[in-house]
Amino acid sequence: MSNTPKEQEKSNLSFEENYIDENIIADKSSRTKEFIKKFMKRKTAVAGLAVIVILVIIAIIGEYIAPYDPAAYDYDNMLAGPSAAHWFGTDHYGRDIFSRILAGTRLTLGVSLSSVIVGAALGTVLGLLAGYYGGVIEMLVMRSSDVLFSFPDILLAIAIVAILGPGIINVFIAVMVFTVPSFARIMRSSTLAVKSSLYVEVAQSLGCKDGRLLFVHIFPGTIQSLIVNFTMRIGSAIMAASSLSFLGFGANVTDPEWGAMLSQSRSYLNVAPHMVYLPGLVIFITVLAFNLFGDGLRDTLDPKIK
Amino acid sequence: MEKILSLKNVSKTFPVGKTLLGKPDKFVHAVNNVSFDVYQGETFSIVGESGCGKSTTGRLINHLLAPDSGEIHFMGKEITKLTQDEMRPMRKDMQMIFQDPAGSLNPRMRVEDLIAEPLLIHTNMNKAERMNVVNELLGIVGLSSKHAKRYPHEFSGGQKQRIGIARALTVNPKLIIADEPISALDVSIQAQVLNLLHNLQEKFSLTYVFISHDLSVVEMISDRIAVMYLGFVVETAPKELLYQNSLHPYTKALLSAVPIPDPGHHKERIILEGDIPSTIDLPKGCPFAARCRACKPECLEQRPVTREVEPGHFVSCHLYK
């Protein structure tokens, strides 16, 4: 092991002097730096992150920077195409589409993000418990996940909304429900992997209680896969929430929600195609940004990929 | 001397095969009918080749595994039937050091938190008191308090093992089970850690159960030694008796394999023929019979009984009756 002359010399030192190694290079901040460096190499992921940051800013201040009142009718300018006055054109009531997209960002992102956050929290707890305790809990959690998995996401969401009735809260519940099993599954398998590591056995031999074992020793080891899955799921949550609104199950048609806007524009496809493709493009870019960011994050966190 | 730990006919099997209905039908017999006593203040070593059940024995003593049968008494209390909750207070007196120093430290915890963990579990000390203990222990194991804020990956293998030792010492245990504590380390570091363990034993009057496959290390550190083969203890003796007058043919073969750093030295090397029998289907007679030079017909038919052939020297072999 010790081949360099310096190390050789060191191992010749007396027992007391040898062990205090001053040449410790890696510390926590350099690990973070390395992570950022590795992430920055992935151009598409960086672009995705940039779009996400812009979207979040718009979600917060969108209403205030919108050039027009998103709900103001303008009967002189109905179905107008994109122009200097109306960048994205106007809809069938003459409302400025650009302003509506800005104002709707909060609604669309809010529903998707909150449903993924709540779904991820539930799925994580279930997956942790299933992986840690095994037995009946594991069987119940995993088999019910399998049942939910057997439906295509959007079909399941439609079924839930059909039962609960339309409305933005019910969209949130529907998206949340189909988010839970994917987190339960991923967390169960990472929990199993971390649980079998030696340091968890050591913690057991020290006398750690279950709660401490789970949350201090096992959970931190699973966070990486949790974060990656989280970013990936946001994309599909936006898709699902917009789709539900498009189908008329979600937001109120007068709300500037992106999917609802698409739904409204359907009848004017021939006269005013900009009403369809501009909100559609925004949804597309948003989903793409979250997916690219998630991919990049996954690759960066994978030590096997340089 | 006072007995601190006593194993009586302890056996442990692990299921391997399963029938169609999911019932296990094959078992690995990892530890078979193992009995020994460990006395206060001594170093009791368990040696044997890999897969002979020494680590499983360590985990059984530490109650990380529950034996199928047999009794384990620790400080006068039977522990095999205890639940983890009932066992927790006993763990204060029984700590373990593991073979893989890197794997045994949670990579996401700072050294101070790693070492303070047993204190958090077993005492009501506040943070400042815990940090005092941590800093003191870091000094005792040859690190310094400036290492406390670092993460395990910033240390070398030997240093990590020192952290593991410091952690085992925090709650003033009576017994330390050291499961191959130095086999993952460089030879030069091995000596340092052995010296450290030896000094700590004197300082804190510790009892060690030292698990190893390295006979020269065991000779250096032990008071008494148990030799294991195929999950059986074949010979138990004080160190001097075992190294000068080994009786069991397996022990003799093992000792003949210890290299002697003298090019002029010629000794008879006993080469064992054949393979270790399967631990799934244990041999009917003596576990070592298939590879033993002195094998008699009786050895294939009957399990030998453990006998005390001279004071403190136990051997289970049909040659000694």
Side-chain angles (χ1 to χ4, degrees):
Chain A
M1 214 169 99
S2 51
N3 288 328
T4 63
K6 201 180 163 197
E7 280 176 32
Q8 287 259 307
E9 186 193 75
K10 206 185 274 169
S11 65
N12 291 335
L13 291 173
S14 75
F15 168 52
E16 274 74 20
E17 284 165 297
N18 196 358
Y19 44 75
I20 299 175
D21 189 348
E22 300 298 337
N23 303 329
I24 293 167
I25 323 140
D27 62 311
K28 182 95 186 193
S29 66
S30 80
R31 267 209 296 185
T32 318
K33 267 182 215 151
E34 203 172 307
F35 174 82
I36 294 172
K37 208 176 142 195
K38 205 174 158 189
F39 182 79
M40 283 304 180
K41 275 195 216 152
R42 272 157 243 282
K43 299 283 178 261
T44 52
V46 175
L49 179 63
V51 173
I52 293 170
V53 170
I54 294 169
L55 281 168
V56 169
I57 294 171
I58 292 175
I60 298 165
I61 60 166
E63 281 174 288
Y64 310 109
I65 58 166
Y68 295 89
D69 178 355
Y73 297 163
D74 179 358
Y75 295 113
D76 299 331
N77 277 313
M78 288 190 295
L79 300 174
S83 65
H86 298 282
W87 289 0
F88 283 12
T90 59
D91 67 5
H92 53 292
Y93 291 127
R95 293 175 297 194
D96 182 52
I97 292 180
F98 183 62
S99 302
R100 287 177 70 75
I101 287 177
L102 290 184
T105 310
R106 185 185 300 169
L107 195 58
T108 307
L109 280 191
V111 172
S112 332
L113 272 173
S114 54
S115 55
V116 175
I117 289 171
V118 176
L122 282 175
T124 301
V125 171
L126 289 173
L128 270 174
L129 294 177
Y132 183 71
Y133 288 105
V136 181
I137 301 178
E138 183 176 27
M139 205 196 69
L140 281 176
V141 171
M142 294 329 287
R143 291 303 80 81
S144 14
S145 299
D146 288 344
V147 170
L148 291 178
F149 260 121
S150 63
F151 298 103
D153 284 359
I154 190 69
L155 198 66
L156 183 67
I158 290 172
I160 295 168
V161 175
I163 297 167
L164 298 175
I168 204 85
I169 300 290
N170 293 342
V171 169
F172 159 80
I173 293 173
V175 175
M176 182 198 79
V177 167
F178 79 69
T179 308
V180 170
S182 88
F183 280 93
R185 231 183 223 192
I186 286 177
M187 287 309 285
R188 174 188 160 266
S189 59
S190 348
T191 303
L192 284 178
V194 178
K195 191 185 159 194
S196 64
S197 60
L198 181 62
Y199 67 82
V200 173
E201 194 187 357
V202 171
Q204 237 168 338
S205 90
L206 294 176
C208 281
K209 289 186 183 145
D210 283 358
R212 189 173 166 80
L213 266 181
L214 255 175
F215 292 106
V216 177
H217 293 285
I218 295 179
F219 180 63
T222 62
I223 280 184
Q224 284 196 357
S225 45
L226 180 67
I227 291 173
V228 172
N229 193 41
F230 185 77
T231 44
M232 307 282 245
R233 290 306 292 196
I234 292 173
S236 50
I238 293 171
M239 280 293 283
S242 303
S243 309
L244 286 172
S245 293
F246 177 80
L247 294 171
F249 291 125
N252 201 318
V253 281
T254 53
D255 286 338
E257 204 276 336
W258 297 348
M261 287 167 72
L262 271 185
S263 171
Q264 290 277 294
S265 59
R266 206 171 61 235
S267 359
Y268 304 96
L269 192 58
N270 291 329
V271 250
H274 69 272
M275 266 180 79
V276 178
Y277 63 72
L278 287 170
L281 193 67
V282 172
I283 295 175
F284 166 73
I285 290 172
T286 308
V287 174
L288 187 69
F290 276 103
N291 283 350
L292 288 176
F293 177 64
D295 281 344
L297 207 57
R298 182 194 58 207
D299 293 349
T300 314
L301 290 169
D302 188 343
K304 276 169 274 178
I305 301 177
K306 281 264 154 90
Chain B
M1 263 198 292
E2 201 191 329
K3 250 188 232 176
I4 185 164
L5 175 77
S6 163
L7 275 74
K8 279 199 194 92
N9 304 323
V10 174
S11 295
K12 176 72 186 171
T13 59
F14 297 101
V16 274
K18 271 186 184 173
T19 60
L20 274 179
L21 292 171
K23 274 194 174 179
D25 62 343
K26 280 187 186 143
F27 294 91
V28 166
H29 298 261
V31 172
N32 303 303
N33 223 6
V34 163
S35 306
F36 58 76
D37 298 325
V38 178
Y39 298 94
Q40 184 83 50
E42 73 169 347
T43 301
F44 184 83
S45 290
I46 305 174
V47 289
E49 56 198 292
S50 51
C52 74
K54 8 180 239 299
S55 289
T56 307
T57 309
R59 280 169 168 71
L60 286 170
I61 299 170
N62 196 239
H63 207 273
L64 287 171
L65 296 170
D68 297 341
S69 61
E71 289 178 6
I72 299 173
H73 292 265
F74 175 63
M75 296 175 66
K77 199 170 172 191
E78 219 282 317
I79 61 168
T80 52
K81 299 285 185 295
L82 296 184
T83 63
Q84 288 299 342
D85 284 330
E86 291 165 333
M87 183 66 196
R88 191 163 296 119
M90 318 258 330
R91 292 193 180 281
K92 193 173 172 302
D93 293 318
M94 183 203 287
Q95 293 285 312
M96 197 155 175
I97 302 171
F98 291 82
Q99 171 171 9
D100 174 10
S104 67
L105 302 175
N106 187 336
R108 287 169 201 83
M109 286 170 78
R110 290 175 194 275
V111 167
E112 56 184 10
D113 297 323
L114 284 165
I115 298 178
E117 189 160 28
L119 296 173
L120 201 65
I121 298 165
H122 296 289
T123 68
N124 294 321
M125 289 188 187
N126 63 33
K127 172 122 181 145
E129 289 168 327
R130 290 201 300 268
M131 288 310 127
N132 276 339
V133 177
V134 167
N135 288 334
E136 191 192 340
L137 276 164
L138 278 172
I140 289 172
V141 299
L143 294 165
S144 84
S145 50
K146 64 176 180 244
H147 293 103
K149 295 266 183 243
R150 292 185 178 161
Y151 286 88
H153 72 269
E154 300 171 36
F155 294 88
S156 68
Q159 290 173 319
K160 280 181 202 153
Q161 197 57 290
R162 288 169 191 278
I163 296 169
I165 293 170
R167 173 171 60 186
L169 290 173
T170 44
V171 282
N172 287 322
K174 308 246 177 345
L175 174 75
I176 288 187
I177 304 156
D179 183 2
E180 307 237 19
I182 57 164
S183 23
L185 306 178
D186 246 8
V187 180
S188 59
I189 314 288
Q190 282 190 355
Q192 294 177 7
V193 173
L194 274 183
N195 284 334
L196 174 66
L197 286 173
H198 184 72
N199 295 339
L200 293 175
Q201 183 167 35
E202 285 176 358
K203 197 166 176 177
F204 298 103
S205 57
L206 295 168
T207 309
Y208 287 134
V209 171
F210 192 90
I211 298 167
S212 179
H213 62 264
D214 189 332
L215 284 161
S216 35
V217 166
V218 163
E219 184 175 11
M220 189 178 145
I221 196 163
S222 328
D223 296 308
R224 288 189 312 126
I225 298 166
V227 180
M228 280 187 81
Y229 182 79
L230 209 68
F232 293 87
V233 171
V234 294
E235 188 166 0
T236 311
K239 175 175 76 182
E240 296 76 21
L241 284 180
L242 192 91
Y243 277 83
Q244 279 144 36
N245 181 28
S246 56
L247 296 178
H248 197 282
Y250 178 64
T251 315
K252 285 180 183 166
L254 265 191
L255 290 177
S256 84
V258 178
I260 292 170
D262 173 9
H265 182 91
H266 291 287
K267 59 168 185 179
E268 194 201 359
R269 173 92 163 78
I270 306 171
I271 309 281
L272 289 181
E273 314 249 319
D275 291 321
I276 310 173
S278 155
T279 46
I280 295 173
D281 303 304
L282 286 180
K284 194 172 150 206
C286 170
F288 188 59
R291 302 171 79 187
C292 183
R293 286 184 183 182
C295 179
K296 298 184 286 184
E298 168 190 27
C299 300
L300 294 170
E301 292 301 319
Q302 233 183 342
R303 287 266 165 83
V305 191
T306 307
R307 284 171 227 276
E308 188 167 12
V309 285
E310 53 188 316
H313 195 162
F314 298 87
V315 63
S316 63
C317 178
H318 286 300
L319 294 175
Y320 306 96
K321 282 183 179 170

